[in-house]
Amino acid sequence: MLHHLILENITRHISLDQEEINSFVCHLKQKKVTKKEVILKGGQACKYINFVHSGILRAYYLDKEGKQSTIMFALTDWWITDMFCFINNQPAMLTIEAVEESIIFQLSKDDLDSLYIKIPKFERFFRIIFQNAYIREQLRTIQNLSLTAEERYNIFLNKYPQVAKQVTQKQIASYLGITPEFLSTIRGGKNKK
């Protein structure tokens, strides 16, 4: 079944009957994206929250000098969007691109609002998803303030080993807030131990 993974993701937090499943699935837009394809560009309207069915997506902020700062990676079975802009109908601050060929399901803000009314259980589901995202980002901010770059890199490797194998050193460095050269030095030190 094409929607099995997204439905498994949802049923971790809420139970749906067949009619509710059918109603939910009809709102999903499936999209196949190629490696490096941008699904949201900074400045565009942020219309969708995306579920990664397969592949990896990356969200990054692009500053005025063209420097990319990776905000998050989204693996298979994860949700990703520019949350502030999606919720508040604002132009995107982030760019989201595929790190590798991926299949995603997109749910529009209008359809999500409709689901909240038609199937109120979805408010609970997305509240949990948004809470978990907030907690993850708060912990990451504290780690960035309190841990060394090497400690943050080790946490990244332990927490996301598959991402570390599939993204570039430059993207990892951008996520950690360090230069690729400094990351290379850290990795060189690890290899000597």
Side-chain angles (χ1 to χ4, degrees), residues 3-168:
H3 299 102
H4 73 282
L5 189 60
I6 194 169
L7 293 173
E8 285 176 14
N9 182 280
I10 289 166
T11 57
R12 285 184 206 127
H13 304 292
I14 60 173
S15 297
L16 299 174
D17 63 31
Q18 193 58 52
E19 186 178 330
E20 292 167 332
I21 289 170
N22 294 341
S23 181
F24 170 67
V25 167
C26 79
H27 290 295
L28 297 175
K29 176 183 167 188
Q30 182 184 348
K31 186 172 185 174
K32 186 176 183 177
V33 289
T34 59
K35 183 176 181 174
K36 296 190 178 185
E37 183 177 341
V38 171
I39 63 166
L40 177 66
K41 186 175 182 181
Q44 290 179 336
C46 183
K47 298 178 183 177
Y48 299 101
I49 186 167
N50 307 283
F51 177 81
V52 182
H53 178 77
S54 63
I56 300 175
L57 301 183
R58 176 176 78 107
Y60 62 88
Y61 175 75
L62 187 65
D63 71 14
K64 289 180 171 101
E65 287 78 42
K67 179 185 171 204
Q68 295 180 5
S69 295
T70 300
I71 304 302
M72 74 175 291
F73 296 101
L75 317 173
T76 297
D77 198 33
W78 283 31
W79 294 86
I80 186 170
T81 191
D82 183 328
M83 189 61 66
F84 174 82
C85 299
F86 177 73
I87 297 297
N88 295 297
N89 295 312
Q90 298 289 320
M93 295 183 286
L94 303 178
T95 295
I96 301 176
E97 73 173 6
V99 172
E100 62 185 28
E101 188 174 289
S102 304
I103 296 173
I104 62 174
F105 288 108
Q106 296 184 307
L107 182 63
S108 75
K109 176 75 165 72
D110 290 342
D111 287 339
L112 179 60
D113 290 339
S114 172
L115 280 172
Y116 288 160
I117 293 164
K118 190 172 181 182
I119 309 170
K121 293 183 237 184
F122 275 102
E123 282 193 313
R124 179 179 193 278
F125 174 76
F126 281 101
R127 176 183 52 80
I128 292 168
I129 294 298
F130 298 159
Q131 280 176 184
N132 290 342
Y134 180 79
I135 290 165
R136 186 173 53 249
E137 290 309 308
Q138 181 177 336
L139 290 174
R140 181 170 170 227
T141 299
I142 291 168
Q143 289 172 351
N144 285 345
L145 295 170
S146 64
L147 301 177
T148 67
E150 185 171 0
E151 290 169 326
R152 294 193 317 268
Y153 178 61
N154 289 331
I155 289 169
F156 178 82
L157 289 179
N158 290 327
K159 199 169 186 179
Y160 309 113
Q162 70 216 63
V163 176
K165 294 175 188 167
Q166 294 175 272
V167 302
T168 66

